[in-house]
Amino acid sequence: DSKIYCVCRSPLGMSRGQILDEDISASSQWSDSTAAKYGRLDCEEGDGAWCPEIAGEPENMNEFLQIDLRSLHFITLVGTQGRHAGGIGNEFAQTYKIKYSRDGSRWISWRNRQGKEVIEGNRNAYDIVLKDMEPPIIARFVRFMPVIDHSMNVCMRVELYGCEWLDGLVSYNSPLGQQMTLNGQHVHLNDSVYDGAMKGLGQLTDGMCGLDDFTHSHVYNVWPGYDYVGWSNESFPNGYVEIMFEFDRTRNFTTMKVHCNNMFSRRVKTFQKVVCYFRSELDWEATPISFSPVMDDVNPSARFVTVSLYNHMASAIKCQYYFSDIWMMFSEITFQSGDDPTHKVDDSNTRILIGCLVAIIFILVAIIVIILWRQVWQKMLEKVSRRMLDDELTASLSIQSETFTYNNNNSPSSVPSEQESNSTYERIFPLGPDYQEPSRLVPSTNTASKSTPASVQEGVPHYAEADIVNLQGVTGGNTYAVSALTMDLLSGKDVAVEEFPRKLLTFKEKLGEGQFGEVHLCEAEGMQDFMDEEFSFDVIENQTVLVAVKMLRADANKNARNDFLKEIKIMSRLKDPNIIRLLAVCMSSDPLCMITEYMENGDLNQFLSRHEPEGMIALLSNAPTVSYSNLHHMATQIASGMKYLSSLNFVHRDLATRNCLVGKNYTIKIADFGMSRNLYSGDYYRIQGRAVLPIRWMSWESILLGKFTTSSDVWAFGVTLWEMLTFCKEQPYSQLSDEQVIENTGEFFRDQRRQIYLPQPPMCPDPVYKLMLSCWNRNTKERPSFQEIHHTLLDCKP
Ligand SMILES: *[C@@H]1O[C@H](CO)[C@@H](O)[C@H](O)[C@H]1NC(C)=O
Ligand SMILES: *[C@@H]1O[C@H](CO)[C@@H](O)[C@H](O)[C@H]1NC(C)=O
Ligand SMILES: *[C@@H]1O[C@H](CO)[C@@H](O)[C@H](O)[C@H]1NC(C)=O
């Protein structure tokens, strides 16, 4: 095979540890547990991967994971993987770029042979995706640069594959390759992957030898002549082409091999003579060496011409290659120096042999350990599921409820080890013959997730439950749960919320209260100055507007104050027509206040309770009505607002009609202060005095595993939709007690068709009920996204 680098594809030591922690660095890290050193392929230390701290706008972000290989390496393949962390993580780089450097100062962007910089990366958090470097990289430093956008948090684990670059060649400089016209066809003999201006490496060192017929190439979809750099004697009156080679240090050179085309029928021939000059230290040696190969007019195949360099010591070599016909074409030039290990072949073979034996022993031991471990594991799993099946749900819930302080560090961590152990075992040879299909290497993932509830969560990219900033909120309401990473994304810019003069607020009524504060409904004067054009149009000049004022008691502790500030930060970033906006704050004196929009018709629950569907009852009772199409319009707006929140990776955690506000013309804005209001205390379930939870709106996995994701918001959306279609005349599952609701949750988990679904409301069309049922799918992945929900609702518009 003329692709000489087929033999140069060994892992360089990210996963096995030959690359030391100190040689792995990064532009930033999200936390100590996601530092650069955890970016090792197939390793699960720390939080399972390197994750950059994302601050500022994604467009101008240059986050990277950098590996210092300590010497020049020939890199033929790279592997990437996301953060799986045994099922908790779901971050990966869908695309990334690579930069490399030979000296640590000049950085070069890698491009493939078609000139494309961006590399397709991972599609999920666990599979390893290997990419051939075409052309290969010759470098000491390599940077992986995830392409970051708003849709997803990114974490990476990586490996480099290749071998040490023993040539020591750092750069070459040759005259520009030329263009030949052959039967009217252009043959481009330029050095298309040369990575420098005057000093660089390119096609002559890319490890790829050209074919006998220079008009063809190994490489798919390139122009004729791609493999070769070639020159015509007409441009070189001296009769030779001079190429200068520079090396990393002074070396003792034995040979140079030049891969030449010899298609003499096309007037292409190997060089007839070469003269090489050597430079050690600063001076060029006076006497060059000269060599004339035997000309071959019989065999037209391309070949390596070996030139002896007679143990000259040099750090640079300049060679003049003399034409023997009109054209001269090279595809590869390599150098062998005396102090490289090629002459220690026996020695290294022995080492390889010993290495292999040790590896085999390790594998055997690992297999035995895995088998034993699996047996133990199987037993534990059986125990756990038996316990779940026993009527101990209530008991296990109270254990689980520890996690409802929203710090679920420990919730599912123990479960997925089976899959880890399996995959390690199956991935011992990542470079087996079928490496192009790395997903086949981890078949255990799916089976594991079927048998264990903890790995079910695979919804929206969500940084980690463990990192959710606790925004239990001053009023006891749980404001949006935000991954800490998103928080930082949000804090990139300074918060631009203006101070509002407190005296312009007039108290109207108390909407709710919590441990550290209260929510008041107020009238505000002059608020239009604080509103953007986009939503002040319906406010008449100099009129008062209704606002909700959330205030922190002066005696609140420091944590509550911090949470309040975080909440302001988050709220100030949310800009969507269907999400309540933060208008202003009062921060200059205590009590601290945040002023948000309030809508004249109050919350959707009260609003619908006051109304009736169009029909007989309404006619008889003379009650105000809401038509089905308006109901549908409101539901669509909720879906749209949630679509926006989910696009930012926000998890609401308490979506319900009580948290949606109704304005003029059935406009809806999603808010969040449900829990703080006594009116709705019946909607929340208090577990052992620890937390209050809206269990009737919560997905089974939120209740049993403490997992809150966009998929669990989707579940709550289904319940919200149901509330709307029943005009909020009754609580969801009103015939069940809280305990029975939790039991029902257990049935969802067990999935033996004993779970009870909310019934189809009389006025609910079949497609909408189908949508609801899909929101309550046991499998989070099979629930629709808010985007899909929004789309579906638009499609079935009455
Ligand atoms: C080499 O020639 C091809 C074909 O004309 C062209 O597309 C390519 O950009 C050239 N590359 C360089 C580095 O000049
Ligand atoms: C270069 O290597 C050859 C063969 O290994 C050795 O004989 C010679 O002494 C070396 N030259 C220098 C200057 O070290
Ligand atoms: C190029 O090479 C051909 C064949 O050897 C020769 O006839 C011709 O004179 C050469 N042209 C120049 C400019 O040296």
Side-chain angles (χ1 to χ4, degrees):
D1 196 340
S2 55
K3 282 192 175 187
I4 57 169
Y5 54 88
C6 287
V7 295
C8 175
R9 299 172 84 84
S10 321
L12 296 180
M14 287 295 278
S15 48
R16 301 283 185 79
Q18 293 97 323
I19 297 172
L20 303 176
D21 284 351
E22 67 210 53
D23 292 331
I24 310 171
S25 57
S27 55
S28 72
Q29 64 194 42
W30 157 245
S31 69
D32 286 346
S33 58
T34 60
K37 63 179 174 186
Y38 299 117
R40 297 174 181 274
L41 195 86
D42 234 1
C43 293
E44 296 279 356
E45 265 85 69
D47 258 347
W50 163 71
C51 310
E53 177 183 30
I54 296 176
E57 294 301 316
E59 301 79 59
N60 42 37
M61 216 147 11
N62 275 317
E63 300 294 341
F64 60 80
L65 177 65
Q66 177 176 320
I67 298 154
D68 177 358
L69 296 166
R70 293 287 172 158
S71 60
L72 289 179
H73 278 70
F74 193 74
I75 297 153
T76 55
L77 188 72
V78 299
T80 58
Q81 198 179 12
R83 189 183 85 95
H84 189 234
I88 307 171
N90 191 21
E91 300 81 20
F92 50 90
Q94 289 175 315
T95 49
Y96 61 99
K97 298 178 186 179
I98 283 187
K99 278 195 179 181
Y100 59 93
S101 173
R102 291 188 268 273
D103 56 9
S105 64
R106 190 171 80 91
W107 290 88
I108 304 159
S109 297
W110 179 85
R111 292 168 191 280
N112 75 5
R113 294 194 188 273
Q114 279 75 31
K116 203 171 147 226
E117 246 181 271
V118 174
I119 305 169
E120 293 295 319
N122 297 88
R123 302 225 148 264
N124 59 46
Y126 42 87
D127 283 335
I128 297 172
V129 173
L130 298 171
K131 290 284 167 183
D132 274 305
M133 291 285 99
E134 285 281 5
I137 293 171
I138 297 164
R140 171 177 163 180
F141 304 91
V142 177
R143 284 178 178 174
F144 286 83
M145 311 187 62
V147 177
I148 295 169
D149 64 21
H150 269 304
S151 67
M152 174 163 186
N153 299 324
V154 165
C155 300
M156 287 186 98
R157 287 180 282 169
V158 304
E159 178 64 283
L160 298 169
Y161 303 83
C163 53
E164 204 172 351
W165 176 238
L166 295 169
D167 282 30
L169 185 59
V170 183
S171 70
Y172 67 79
N173 179 13
S174 74
L176 291 183
Q178 297 175 325
Q179 184 179 312
M180 174 197 258
T181 306
L182 194 64
N183 309 331
Q185 189 190 23
H186 292 306
V187 179
H188 300 277
L189 299 162
N190 61 0
D191 193 343
S192 53
V193 300
Y194 193 62
D195 65 8
M198 295 294 288
K199 292 184 176 200
L201 296 175
Q203 269 183 297
L204 296 183
T205 53
D206 72 353
M208 184 174 288
C209 300
L211 297 175
D212 295 346
D213 180 349
F214 59 86
T215 61
H216 292 98
S217 171
H218 297 288
V219 184
Y220 175 69
N221 205 9
V222 288
W223 55 87
Y226 179 87
D227 288 348
Y228 287 93
V229 185
W231 307 269
S232 146
N233 71 347
E234 278 165 36
S235 317
F236 297 88
N238 295 333
Y240 62 80
V241 168
E242 183 175 278
I243 306 180
M244 165 91 160
F245 303 91
E246 291 190 52
F247 297 85
D248 53 349
R249 58 187 159 83
T250 303
R251 289 169 171 261
N252 181 344
F253 286 98
T254 52
T255 48
M256 166 175 72
K257 292 183 178 178
V258 185
H259 191 263
C260 309
N261 191 278
N262 195 43
M263 205 174 178
F264 45 79
S265 58
R266 299 264 180 241
R267 310 300 301 270
V268 186
K269 263 196 190 165
T270 58
F271 54 90
Q272 55 148 311
K273 182 174 87 165
V274 62
V275 177
C276 291
Y277 297 81
F278 298 88
R279 188 186 73 193
S280 52
E281 316 296 284
L282 286 173
D283 302 322
W284 288 99
E285 274 179 29
T287 46
I289 61 123
S290 161
F291 172 74
S292 298
V294 182
M295 286 291 111
D296 182 349
D297 292 336
V298 181
N299 182 352
S301 47
R303 77 273 317 275
F304 270 111
V305 176
T306 303
V307 180
S308 177
L309 299 177
Y310 303 108
N311 292 112
H312 272 266
M313 299 295 293
S315 61
I317 300 177
K318 181 169 67 183
C319 292
Q320 295 160 351
Y321 303 87
Y322 284 80
F323 287 92
S324 53
D325 207 325
I326 298 176
W327 286 92
M328 188 159 64
M329 297 181 191
F330 299 162
S331 74
E332 201 67 21
I333 301 181
T334 67
F335 289 87
Q336 292 70 43
S337 47
D339 40 13
D340 72 38
T342 39
H343 65 279
K344 303 180 205 144
V345 162
D346 292 344
D347 187 353
S348 63
N349 272 354
T350 323
R351 261 188 284 154
I352 289 168
L353 199 67
I354 292 172
C356 286
L357 284 174
V358 169
I360 289 167
I361 291 168
F362 261 113
I363 292 161
L364 287 175
V365 169
I367 291 170
I368 291 167
V369 168
I370 288 160
I371 290 169
L372 289 177
W373 193 14
R374 278 185 71 157
Q375 281 174 353
V376 172
W377 186 248
Q378 210 79 44
K379 282 204 188 107
M380 272 174 62
L381 210 73
E382 274 165 26
K383 241 192 222 165
V384 169
S385 52
R386 222 179 300 132
R387 212 191 60 197
M388 293 297 265
L389 280 166
D390 289 350
D391 262 352
E392 285 182 7
L393 257 173
T394 340
S396 72
L397 182 70
S398 60
I399 297 165
Q400 289 285 355
S401 68
E402 306 277 331
T403 64
F404 286 140
T405 52
Y406 304 107
N407 277 317
N408 312 329
N409 294 331
N410 43 5
S411 53
S413 60
S414 56
V415 183
S417 324
E418 177 186 39
Q419 132 198 1
E420 264 169 52
S421 61
N422 273 349
S423 52
T424 320
Y425 152 56
E426 283 154 14
R427 284 195 220 136
I428 279 168
F429 297 112
L431 288 177
D434 46 6
Y435 71 87
Q436 288 99 335
E437 296 169 80
S439 54
R440 279 178 44 196
L441 301 173
V442 277
S444 51
T445 311
N446 291 334
T447 34
S449 58
K450 251 172 235 145
S451 59
T452 61
S455 29
V456 174
Q457 182 249 341
E458 218 80 62
V460 179
H462 195 83
Y463 184 65
E465 260 71 15
D467 290 312
I468 283 180
V469 177
N470 179 1
L471 287 169
Q472 190 66 18
V474 287
T475 54
N478 70 328
T479 42
Y480 308 111
V482 182
S483 80
L485 199 64
T486 311
M487 272 292 299
D488 253 45
L489 188 75
L490 293 169
S491 61
K493 274 190 240 144
D494 280 326
V495 181
V497 194
E498 296 195 58
E499 180 79 16
F500 187 77
R502 202 183 294 269
K503 59 178 190 294
L504 298 180
L505 292 171
T506 316
F507 174 82
K508 283 203 60 164
E509 91 186 53
K510 189 153 104 184
L511 290 173
E513 73 177 301
Q515 203 184 346
F516 297 112
E518 295 183 347
V519 184
H520 291 175
L521 178 63
C522 293
E523 274 176 358
E525 277 174 55
M527 186 49 89
Q528 41 288 358
D529 298 342
F530 293 80
M531 294 173 153
D532 298 356
E533 305 75 27
E534 46 184 343
F535 66 105
S536 60
F537 57 85
D538 53 5
V539 178
I540 298 148
E541 193 73 26
N542 293 329
Q543 255 201 345
T544 56
V545 288
L546 280 180
V547 292
V549 180
K550 215 174 201 179
M551 55 183 81
L552 185 71
R553 289 208 183 105
D555 60 354
N557 63 25
K558 213 173 157 202
N559 283 346
R561 279 182 100 84
N562 278 341
D563 287 349
F564 195 76
L565 296 178
K566 273 182 201 154
E567 197 178 333
I568 289 178
K569 236 180 201 177
I570 291 175
M571 288 287 291
S572 69
R573 294 270 169 243
L574 297 180
K575 297 210 164 125
D576 184 79
N578 299 117
I579 304 285
I580 281 291
R581 293 272 285 262
L582 179 65
L583 300 174
V585 291
C586 307
M587 306 289 281
S588 56
S589 61
D590 275 328
L592 304 184
C593 294
M594 62 176 107
I595 303 170
T596 63
E597 288 178 280
Y598 195 77
M599 314 272 280
E600 52 209 317
N601 287 319
D603 73 60
L604 181 59
N605 189 290
Q606 288 180 46
F607 179 79
L608 286 177
S609 304
R610 289 196 301 267
H611 288 77
E612 291 288 350
E614 284 173 335
M616 228 33 220
I617 301 174
L619 273 178
L620 292 175
S621 64
N622 208 14
T625 59
V626 175
S627 69
Y628 176 76
S629 78
N630 284 330
L631 215 52
H632 188 277
H633 175 52
M634 292 193 282
T636 311
Q637 292 176 69
I638 300 176
S640 172
M642 291 306 295
K643 189 172 91 177
Y644 171 74
L645 281 188
S646 66
S647 74
L648 294 176
N649 283 344
F650 279 72
V651 179
H652 187 293
R653 297 207 288 192
D654 194 13
L655 179 62
T657 52
R658 62 182 171 277
N659 275 328
C660 299
L661 295 179
V662 187
K664 277 202 192 80
N665 299 325
Y666 305 101
T667 49
I668 292 278
K669 294 191 185 218
I670 300 169
D672 193 37
F673 32 53
M675 267 189 226
S676 59
R677 287 182 292 172
N678 288 334
L679 187 58
Y680 297 113
S681 59
D683 288 343
Y684 297 89
Y685 178 67
R686 190 169 287 277
I687 296 170
Q688 314 251 309
R690 280 193 157 271
V692 280
L693 296 170
I695 50 169
R696 288 162 201 271
W697 284 260
M698 277 165 72
S699 66
W700 71 266
E701 79 275 13
S702 301
I703 294 182
L704 293 183
L705 305 171
K707 278 176 172 280
F708 291 85
T709 61
T710 294
S711 306
S712 54
D713 277 350
V714 165
W715 180 296
F717 178 83
V719 181
T720 307
L721 200 53
W722 184 90
E723 286 187 276
M724 293 175 73
L725 289 159
T726 55
F727 275 68
C728 301
K729 295 290 186 279
E730 56 172 288
Q731 246 195 345
Y733 305 106
S734 56
Q735 74 284 14
L736 301 184
S737 68
D738 285 345
E739 283 68 27
Q740 284 170 325
V741 169
I742 291 164
E743 252 165 58
N744 191 36
T745 300
E747 294 297 352
F748 269 102
F749 166 63
R750 283 190 283 271
D751 203 20
Q752 292 163 346
R753 293 167 187 275
R754 289 206 298 258
Q755 63 268 45
I756 302 167
Y757 291 90
L758 289 168
Q760 181 167 3
M763 65 181 304
C764 176
D766 288 341
V768 176
Y769 189 58
K770 218 176 116 199
L771 177 67
M772 272 183 215
L773 289 176
S774 69
C775 295
W776 304 323
N777 208 308
R778 182 189 188 275
N779 188 345
T780 50
K781 277 190 238 169
E782 283 165 25
R783 292 176 204 159
S785 65
F786 279 112
Q787 192 151 10
E788 287 162 346
I789 292 173
H790 186 234
H791 205 260
T792 307
L793 284 173
L794 287 178
D795 274 350
C796 63
K797 197 170 166 181

